[in-house]
Amino acid sequence: TAVAPALLTSDWCDGQIILTSPRRVAARAAAERMAELLGEPVGQRVGYITRLDTKKSEKTRILVVTEAIFVNQILSDQELNGVSAVLFDEAHERSLDCDLGLALARETQSVLRDDLRIGVMSATIDGEKFAAIMGHAPVIESEGKAFPLDIRWLGSAPDLRIEDTMAKAVMTAWREQDGDILAFLPGVREIERCRERLVERLSDTPVLPLHGQVQPADQRKAIRSDPDGKRRIVLATSIAETSLTLEGVSVVVD
């Protein structure tokens, strides 16, 4: 969310910057965060396009799209007219759409648009490997911040349903730790069952689901800290394992 806004002031950047994201939730969250950094609502200089939701305008300079939408875009407009740069985020996931989109962008750059800038980004990427794919492009590394991590094994209970095991583990974390809790479950059904169990025990605590079927407004509630300062429990699918940063989370149960 810092790279694309920084590129807007570059001399060569007189067109649009496209930022690809592997998931709809992450695309919206990234666009909203960049718009917030620029002090604007989404749909002005920063917009997004996903399969079920779009916010953009004639003023949009940074456009966040899912990888499949970018593939469709470059297949319909191989020159990427009006686009100055394409940034591929979370490229380490190596999805078919991401790999195909990068290959098509490289082809456009080599055949039609030698002025097109391409960036590949990830927190866990093999930088040298992707640099070679991109014609030995320079690699920029950021060490970021590291924090101590305490790992606890709570044992296994194969005779119990996963939602019962998770609810028990979350309650243990709730009693013994501070801060918001993020818990990973395999699917929507398990999330709803676990949520029912936790709501019964913690009636005054926000227990928020986070998956692809959750409405955008409720997804935002799961991503952002509680406006009233309450501790939260977020129950998520693998959608929150990458691409997203959840505010206030200090405990992860997996």
Side-chain angles (χ1 to χ4, degrees):
T1 55
V3 175
L7 295 180
L8 282 179
T9 58
S10 300
D11 295 337
W12 51 265
C13 188
D14 54 4
Q16 198 172 68
I17 297 172
I18 294 178
L19 172 64
T20 73
S21 180
R23 296 177 178 85
R24 298 193 302 269
V25 177
R28 281 195 298 268
E32 290 171 355
R33 175 59 177 164
M34 287 187 285
E36 182 181 325
L37 291 172
L38 295 174
E40 300 174 355
V42 180
Q44 297 295 312
R45 279 188 290 174
V46 183
Y48 64 84
I49 302 177
T50 67
R51 182 167 59 88
L52 301 176
D53 190 16
T54 297
K55 283 190 178 180
K56 67 184 185 71
S57 67
E58 294 179 354
K59 299 179 181 178
T60 299
R61 295 284 313 284
I62 300 173
L63 187 63
V64 189
V65 301
T66 51
E67 294 163 349
I69 286 178
F70 174 71
V71 169
N72 289 332
Q73 179 180 354
I74 195 170
L75 286 175
S76 62
D77 176 15
Q78 294 181 7
E79 292 189 26
L80 290 178
N81 289 299
V83 176
S84 293
V86 183
L87 307 177
F88 295 86
D89 197 15
E90 301 295 347
H92 71 275
E93 292 195 16
R94 301 301 306 278
S95 71
L96 178 60
D97 286 324
C98 181
D99 283 6
L100 178 57
L102 177 57
L104 293 172
R106 284 282 293 140
E107 183 179 48
T108 293
Q109 185 186 54
S110 62
V111 178
L112 301 172
R113 290 279 311 279
D114 59 2
D115 62 323
L116 181 67
R117 308 295 177 104
I118 299 175
V120 176
M121 303 184 294
S122 167
T124 58
I125 199 171
D126 184 345
E128 295 301 329
K129 178 179 180 179
F130 272 86
I133 292 173
M134 297 172 62
H136 302 288
V139 178
I140 301 172
E141 296 185 12
S142 172
E143 293 185 2
K145 297 179 180 178
F147 298 90
L149 178 65
D150 178 38
I151 300 177
R152 290 189 54 191
W153 167 244
L154 299 181
S156 63
D159 55 319
L160 296 178
R161 289 178 175 271
I162 186 171
E163 52 265 29
D164 294 319
T165 305
M166 178 59 77
K168 181 180 178 181
V170 169
M171 290 303 302
T172 299
W174 184 264
R175 291 190 300 267
E176 298 180 1
Q177 305 293 330
D178 298 321
D180 294 350
I181 297 173
L182 169 63
F184 287 114
L185 287 135
V188 176
R189 181 176 61 181
E190 292 83 1
I191 285 176
E192 291 305 316
R193 288 176 175 174
C194 184
R195 184 172 180 271
E196 291 173 359
R197 289 154 174 74
L198 292 172
V199 168
E200 290 178 359
R201 305 175 192 180
L202 301 169
S203 58
D204 194 41
T205 299
V207 182
L208 308 171
L210 181 59
H211 50 76
Q213 298 177 28
V214 175
Q215 294 298 312
D218 293 327
Q219 289 176 353
R220 295 183 189 99
K221 290 180 181 178
I223 294 171
R224 300 294 180 93
S225 297
D226 186 82
D228 298 324
K230 292 183 178 181
R231 287 183 68 188
R232 306 174 306 143
I233 299 172
V234 179
L235 306 178
T237 60
S238 59
I239 197 171
E241 288 183 354
T242 182
S243 311
L244 286 176
T245 300
L246 274 61
E247 295 180 357
V249 169
S250 61
V251 181
V252 175
V253 185
D254 197 359

